[in-house]
């Protein structure tokens, strides 16, 4: 298979989810590295699969959506969220079709990963691209969590800087990342789900209690010039292509996956669009890139913030695991002549990656880092790679019929959209490193 190997974590997620159909996607690192992999068929029904997809999408990224509306305008924000939802739905199905096409080339017990598909469809070049995007996406999401935690804790007690909170948190995060099994962290997902629900509901409740809706004319409908500042935040939330294969494998009837996906994506799109829009209408020009920073002044607000920080702290080693394992699979065998102990090499890699995410987390705001990670890595894995693979695998057959040509045209349209959106958003994100982007004073 070459130097780029499928991650054990994806295989573990599949095997665990097949045994536990209500597995939270955030707990995909819950098995011991040395546990044998079962080969039983998936057992998740339609409703359980919808729940898994819902859990995989709704999360910390939801709290960046109000700021996205401030950059895109009311109509612009709604349009981008709906388009992102529709296009992600389409490209997930493209990815699944490509997976089914290459499946006969593998043994029946082999768990096919995104990297496997890219290698089979287009060779080592596309495999390397998916490898790189998966690593940067995984580590970038972990860094975004640190930004969220640091800024949120600083809003509660500002005598300690966000970077200091992050460094103090390493006392917990480094040992968690060194664990060979994260099984016990799966139990924190219940607290995390409660904290997320409290956070979403509490944000709106606080806004209605303490803010006043402006007149309709006060809100911009379109803000095209600043849309690239937040497109990545929307992609950060919706682009779940890298985690969707294990969910599809866990289904008892994979043929019904498109129904589950469409149902879940519809609910998630409506929920996030409603939350983002309402929060923006309430906080208006005071909206922070992490809208939780708009909340202050009560014990309930502190409870919301602490619950969210706890959830993201427990999720940090899980989100870093896919990228970390890809690098371990590549680097550990190559440094044997320097570090004979594989365990010691693994420890050094993990500790180094934790500090790298702390460095990346020094990007100014939660909105900026979600825009960069979502707009580059996650959007590429969702809007660029699947249409390319789909066209390579099915292009000739689709071209033979009018309906096929329309499907191929749709894939190419999404590809063009992805290239343009990813390019503009990445450029905007890099530009923001050198130019100060205004945000309300209470958000910094």
């Amino acid at each position: 298979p070459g130097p780029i190997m499928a991650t054990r974590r994806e295989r573990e997620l599949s095997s665990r989810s097949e045994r536990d159909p209500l597995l939270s996607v955030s707990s995909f690192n819950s098995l011991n590295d040395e546990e044998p992999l079962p080969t039983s068929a998936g057992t998740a029904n339609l409703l359980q699969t919808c729940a898994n997809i819902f859990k995989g999408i709704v999360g910390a990224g939801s709290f960046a959506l109000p700021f996205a509306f401030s950059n895109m305008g009311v109509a612009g924000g709604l349009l981008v969220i709906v388009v992102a939802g529709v296009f992600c739905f389409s490209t997930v199905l493209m990815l699944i079709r490509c997976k089914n096409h290459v499946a006969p080339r593998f043994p029946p017990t082999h768990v096919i990963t995104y990297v496997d598909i890219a290698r089979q469809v287009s060779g080592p070049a596309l495999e390397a691209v998916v490898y790189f995007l998966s690593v940067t996406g995984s580590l970038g999401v972990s860094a975004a969590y640190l930004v969220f935690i640091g800024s949120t804790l600083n809003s509660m007690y500002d005598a300690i800087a966000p970077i200091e909170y992050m460094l103090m948190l390493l006392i917990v995060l480094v040992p968690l990342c060194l664990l060979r099994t994260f099984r016990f962290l799966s139990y924190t997902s219940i607290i995390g789900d409660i904290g997320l629900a409290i956070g979403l509901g509490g944000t709106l409740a606080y806004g209605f209690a303490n803010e006043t809706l402006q007149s309709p004319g006060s809100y911009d409908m379109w803000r095209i010039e600043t849309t690239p500042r937040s497109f990545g935040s929307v992609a950060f939330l919706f682009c779940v292509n890298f985690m969707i294969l294990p969910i599809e494998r866990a289904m008892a009837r994979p043929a019904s996956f498109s129904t589950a996906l469409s149902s879940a994506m519809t609910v998630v799109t409506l929920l996030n669009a409603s939350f983002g829009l309402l929060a923006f209408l309430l906080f208006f020009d005071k909206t922070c890139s992490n809208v939780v920073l708009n909340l202050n002044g009560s014990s309930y607000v502190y409870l919301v913030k602490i619950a969210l920080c706890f959830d993201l702290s427990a999720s940090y080693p899980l989100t870093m695991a896919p990228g970390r394992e890809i690098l371990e699979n590549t680097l550990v065998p190559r440094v044997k002549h320097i570090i004979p102990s594989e365990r010691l090499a693994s420890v050094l890699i993990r500790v180094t990656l934790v500090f790298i995410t702390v460095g990346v987390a020094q990007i100014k705001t939660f909105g900026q880092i979600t825009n960069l990670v979502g707009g580059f890595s996650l959007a590429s894995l969702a809007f660029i790679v699947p249409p390319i693979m789909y066209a390579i695998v099915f292009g000739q057959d689709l071209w033979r019929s009018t309906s096929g040509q329309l499907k191929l045209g749709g894939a190419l349209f999404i590809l063009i959209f992805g290239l343009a959106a990813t390019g503009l958003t990445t450029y905007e994100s890099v530009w923001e490193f050198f130019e100060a982007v205004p945000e309300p004073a209470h958000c910094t």
Side-chain angles (χ1 to χ4, degrees), residues 358-383:
V358 173
V360 174
Q362 300 319 300
I363 294 177
K364 298 171 186 174
T365 68
F366 180 68
Q368 286 175 309
I369 192 168
T370 56
N371 198 46
L372 176 61
V373 176
F376 175 66
S377 299
L378 303 186
S380 296
L381 288 171
F383 300 135

Side-chain angles (χ1 to χ4, degrees), residues 203-264:
T203 299
L204 295 180
Y206 180 93
F208 280 112
N210 296 276
E211 303 293 339
T212 304
L213 290 171
Q214 308 298 312
S215 61
S218 300
Y219 303 103
D220 291 333
M221 290 292 104
W222 307 92
R223 297 196 67 187
I224 297 176
E225 70 281 2
T226 54
T227 292
R229 291 182 184 174
S230 285
F231 172 80
S233 297
V234 178
F236 185 93
L237 183 69
F238 281 96
C239 295
V240 295
N241 297 57
F242 69 99
M243 69 168 63
I244 210 69
L245 292 177
I247 297 176
E248 187 261 351
R249 283 194 297 266
M251 286 199 76
R253 296 179 57 197
S256 302
F257 178 75
S258 61
T259 302
L261 181 66
S262 62
S263 300

Side-chain angles (χ1 to χ4, degrees), residues 291-370:
V291 74
V292 174
L293 300 183
N294 285 103
L295 281 59
N296 57 71
S298 73
S299 56
Y300 174 74
V301 168
Y302 286 165
L303 174 63
V304 170
K305 293 182 177 181
I306 291 173
L308 289 171
C309 289
F310 176 85
D311 174 42
L312 296 185
S313 297
S315 299
Y316 172 89
L318 309 178
T319 58
M320 192 174 73
R324 180 260 297 168
E325 283 212 338
I326 288 175
L327 291 173
E328 283 183 357
N329 289 338
T330 303
L331 297 177
V332 170
R334 297 186 178 186
V335 297
K336 275 189 175 181
H337 63 289
I338 302 175
I339 308 175
S341 170
E342 291 188 3
R343 182 59 180 164
L344 177 58
S346 176
V347 167
L348 293 176
I349 290 172
R350 296 182 188 200
V351 173
T352 300
L353 292 178
V354 170
F355 279 94
I356 288 175
T357 61
V358 173
V360 174
Q362 300 319 300
I363 294 177
K364 298 171 186 174
T365 68
F366 180 68
Q368 286 175 309
I369 192 168
T370 56

